[in-house]
Amino acid sequence: MKKYPIILGIETSCDETAAAIIQNNNIMSNIMYSQSIHKKYGGVIPELASRLHYKNIIQVVNAAILQANITQKQLDAIAYTRGPGLIGSLLIGASFAKSLSMVLKIPLISVNHIHAHVLVNFIKDDQHNIPKFPYLCLMVSGGNTQIIQVNSFFHMKILGKTLDDAVGETFDKIGNMLGLAYPGGPLIDKYANGGNYKKFNFSKPKIQGLDFSFSGFKTHILYFLKRKLQHDPNFIKNNLTDICASVQNTMIDILIEKLKIAVQITAINRIAITGGVSANYFLRQKITNLCIKENWEFYLPNNNYTTDNAAMIAMVGSIKYEYNMFDDINVVSSANHNII
Ligand code: KG4
């Protein structure tokens, strides 16, 4: 086994075809092809996603190898997303990774997508310290909202999770109500920037413990908009920035309140955030301010590694390589896949 293996990571769990190369926790290349075709349907169409992965995967992997300035023969292992995700999309990445590992006669490493999001902060970059165990990870993406206690690379405990919609999904659905393109999250973030977050007051769900619920909040916004539009058909147009700021502020407050409770319960004051929503400017600012005020350590991923990406898959590939955790060619992809 090499001390500093060069590992290719492949991510195809949803609508991003991505490949990255890592060595010694440094990202040598990170290529991502985002499938914009889904925008016109307001959500990801699984069959179209699979076909586009199939069409683009060779080019994306070749581009990653080129950008890293290496040759295929220098690769020491191939890591790929086993699940969770869209099964058709996962199978394209799995088949490609398995074939390449057989041809190059190098180990195959399957990676859980959520596990990769949680460990993304181990990628070396200038923006943050490398996490120390144990830490609390707020995992906020299109499909997941969880607070995870990370005790080691392979020992994690979910302390709280959403009982219904994920926070990213809620951003996207509210974006849709506001007439914004898919995905609405980054656009709400953008418009909120110029808005007054105190303009509209939205009530927060009262959920015990560390679990979340966003479904009632989403319906609350739907009826709020319906009511306002009855009196003023231009209500959204004339108040877009303030609505976005107020919605975003409430959602981020819900997340932060739960995080504070998690710190209280566990007495762990090291915080990481991860997943697509961790790109949110306001969330990053609020977490940063809170952690500085409370003297908590915090780890925010580089913006390139917040939404689905292959760098995080390569990162877990690197850790699993170190622990000799390799997979057989018969490993099965799964739409639902437990954390490791
Ligand atoms: O992690 P990710 O790529 O997908 C899943 O694996 O689920 O996250 C995508 C989600 C989308 O819901 C998108 O709207 C949200 O992340 N997102 C954001 C921002 N950037 C992406 N939400 C709020 N603010 C952002 N800046």
Side-chain angles (χ1 to χ4, degrees), residues 178 225 229 232-243:
L178 296 172
L225 291 173
L229 286 168
D232 172 10
N234 290 322
F235 175 75
I236 292 179
K237 199 169 145 226
N238 293 338
N239 294 278
L240 186 63
T241 56
D242 293 342
I243 302 170

Side-chain angles (χ1 to χ4, degrees), residues 137-297:
C137 180
L138 176 68
M139 158 75 195
V140 275
S141 71
N144 289 278
T145 305
Q146 296 176 340
I147 298 180
I148 303 167
Q149 180 176 327
V150 188
N151 295 322
S152 71
F153 287 134
F154 303 107
H155 181 213
M156 303 177 185
K157 189 172 158 200
I158 299 173
L159 303 178
K161 60 180 185 322
T162 181
L163 303 174
D164 38 59
D165 294 4
V167 65
E169 180 185 0
T170 310
F171 264 112
D172 297 339
K173 286 179 176 165
I174 294 175
N176 189 274
M177 293 174 203
L178 296 172
L180 303 177
Y182 176 85
L187 291 172
I188 291 182
D189 187 3
K190 180 178 142 197
Y191 289 116
N193 211 356
N196 172 7
Y197 68 86
K198 291 184 179 156
K199 178 84 178 274
F200 303 108
N201 239 320
F202 302 120
S203 51
K204 294 178 204 153
K206 292 183 180 53
I207 307 295
Q208 292 293 312
L210 293 175
D211 286 335
F212 301 90
S213 166
F214 287 100
S215 166
F217 177 74
K218 180 189 68 188
T219 312
H220 177 48
I221 303 296
L222 179 70
Y223 285 108
F224 163 81
L225 291 173
K226 274 192 173 164
R227 241 183 3 258
K228 294 286 185 187
L229 286 168
Q230 266 172 6
H231 297 112
D232 172 10
N234 290 322
F235 175 75
I236 292 179
K237 199 169 145 226
N238 293 338
N239 294 278
L240 186 63
T241 56
D242 293 342
I243 302 170
C244 288
S246 305
V247 162
Q248 177 176 276
N249 181 55
T250 314
M251 288 171 65
I252 303 299
D253 267 1
I254 296 169
L255 298 174
I256 303 250
E257 277 166 22
K258 294 287 179 175
L259 250 188
K260 283 184 186 166
I261 303 174
V263 172
Q264 253 175 21
I265 293 175
T266 60
I268 296 170
N269 59 6
R270 286 189 281 266
I271 310 280
I273 57 172
T274 189
V277 181
S278 69
N280 186 276
Y281 179 74
F282 194 61
L283 173 64
R284 294 173 83 94
Q285 274 228 314
K286 274 211 151 178
I287 296 257
T288 304
N289 293 344
L290 172 72
C291 292
I292 290 173
K293 181 170 155 258
E294 301 289 345
N295 206 15
W296 297 344
E297 207 165 302

